């Protein structure tokens, strides 16, 4: 994709690539020799390197569904080349590549002709400059949403653990009840036997008493 072609599409809604993780619909805001600036609904301003773009689509009849408001003047970078764009984002939270196995997000530190350095969580990642297909600024709201999702997952885990503990307690109560019933069941025949023996002994004593009285007579 050359600059002259892109300039004919300025301020129009286009589709970058036909599919895959890098494909996006957005408004073309600026075009330079080796990159262009695209306003997207989901990711905001994204800087695309033209050498990695396979196709650009335009629907002149019906257009494409797009509702993002134009950014304020001066809110995005206008640089002569892609490396200048990347260099200007040093020490910022950035997203590199929109999807796939090479997607990165973190603080960008070092930028050279050959590679960039990203601090991502507990890793220091060096990505070849050639493989930087697109880049954008990360936002605090995105990180806040991620933190919120992590907190929700943690809360769900705690709820699941509480349910598990409650289930264990209910099972313990059930087992205790069964054991108690089994104990009562085992004790009941013994009690009947004891009562029967006691009654026999009492009858035997009474019989002896009657026999003794009869002999005295």
């Amino acid at each position: 994709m050359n600059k002259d072609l892109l300039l004919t599409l300025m301020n129009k809604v286009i589709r970058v690539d036909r599919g895959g993780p890098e494909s996006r619909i957005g408004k073309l805001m600026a075009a330079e020799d080796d990159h262009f600036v695209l306003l997207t609904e989901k990711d905001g301003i994204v800087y695309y390197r033209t050498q990695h773009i396979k196709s650009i689509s335009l629907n002149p009849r019906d257009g494409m569904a797009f509702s993002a408001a134009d950014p304020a003047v001066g809110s995005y970078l206008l640089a002569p080349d892609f490396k200048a764009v990347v260099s200007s984002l040093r020490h910022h939270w950035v997203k590199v590549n929109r999807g796939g196995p090479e997607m990165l997000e973190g603080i960008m530190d070092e930028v050279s002709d050959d590679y960039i350095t990203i601090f991502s969580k507990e890793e220091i990642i060096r990505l070849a400059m050639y493989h930087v297909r697109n880049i954008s600024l990360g936002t605090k709201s995105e990180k806040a949403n991620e933190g919120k999702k992590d907190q929700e997952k943690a809360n769900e885990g705690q709820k699941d653990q509480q349910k598990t503990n409650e289930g264990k307690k209910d099972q313990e109560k059930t087992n205790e009840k069964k054991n108690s019933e089994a104990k009562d069941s085992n004790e009941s025949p013994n009690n009947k036997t004891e009562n029967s023996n006691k009654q026999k002994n009492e009858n035997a004593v009474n019989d002896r008493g009657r026999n003794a009285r009869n002999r005295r007579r």
Side-chain angles (χ1 to χ4, degrees):
M1 299 296 166
N2 59 47
K3 182 178 179 179
D4 292 337
L5 172 62
L6 291 170
L7 288 174
T8 64
L9 302 174
M10 284 291 297
N11 297 315
K12 294 182 179 180
V13 178
I14 60 174
R15 182 194 299 276
V16 178
D17 290 339
R18 299 299 302 166
E22 304 295 338
S23 179
R24 289 291 186 277
I25 291 176
K27 180 182 288 188
L28 185 63
M29 305 301 294
E32 299 296 340
D33 291 332
D34 66 348
H35 73 283
F36 60 87
V37 182
L38 190 72
L39 172 64
T40 67
E41 291 184 3
K42 181 179 178 181
D43 302 310
I45 292 291
V46 182
Y47 304 89
Y48 276 90
R49 201 171 192 174
T50 52
Q51 72 181 103
H52 293 292
I53 302 303
K54 297 178 181 178
S55 67
I56 288 180
S57 307
L58 176 70
N59 189 333
R61 177 178 296 179
D62 301 324
M64 296 181 184
F66 184 78
S67 60
D70 287 353
V73 176
S75 61
Y76 56 93
L77 300 171
L78 296 175
D81 55 62
F82 190 71
K83 184 189 174 184
V85 171
V86 175
S87 297
S88 66
L89 297 177
R90 284 189 64 197
H91 308 308
H92 287 82
W93 186 277
V94 297
K95 283 186 176 182
V96 179
N97 301 334
R98 311 318 299 167
E102 294 180 0
M103 190 276 290
L104 293 174
E105 186 173 6
I107 301 294
M108 186 163 62
D109 181 47
E110 187 176 359
V111 178
S112 70
D113 291 335
D114 298 322
Y115 64 88
I116 63 173
T117 302
I118 300 286
F119 294 131
S120 179
K121 296 181 180 178
E122 297 180 355
E123 295 182 314
I124 300 175
I125 303 170
R126 289 179 174 83
L127 177 66
M129 179 65 78
Y130 175 80
H131 292 295
V132 180
R133 297 188 294 272
N134 53 70
I135 191 169
S136 67
L137 277 171
T139 64
K140 293 181 180 180
S141 61
E142 288 173 345
K143 288 183 281 185
N145 289 335
E146 290 176 359
K148 184 178 180 180
K149 289 179 181 178
D150 291 340
Q151 185 61 43
E152 289 175 351
K153 289 181 180 179
N155 292 338
E156 289 176 359
Q158 290 178 354
K159 289 180 180 178
D160 291 340
Q161 185 61 43
Q162 289 176 355
K163 289 180 180 179
T164 300
N165 293 337
E166 290 174 358
K168 288 181 179 179
K169 290 180 180 179
D170 291 340
Q171 186 61 43
E172 289 174 356
K173 290 180 180 178
T174 301
N175 292 338
E176 289 177 358
K177 184 177 180 181
K178 288 181 179 180
N179 292 335
S180 178
E181 291 174 351
K183 184 177 179 181
D184 292 341
S185 177
N186 292 332
E187 289 177 352
S188 180
N190 294 334
N191 290 337
K192 289 180 179 179
T193 301
E194 290 177 359
N195 292 334
S196 177
N197 292 335
K198 185 177 180 181
Q199 184 64 41
K200 288 179 179 179
N201 291 335
E202 290 178 353
N203 291 337
V205 170
N206 292 333
D207 289 340
R208 286 197 294 270
R210 282 195 296 271
N211 291 334
R213 288 194 296 272
N214 291 332
R215 284 196 294 273
R216 285 196 296 269
R217 290 177 183 173

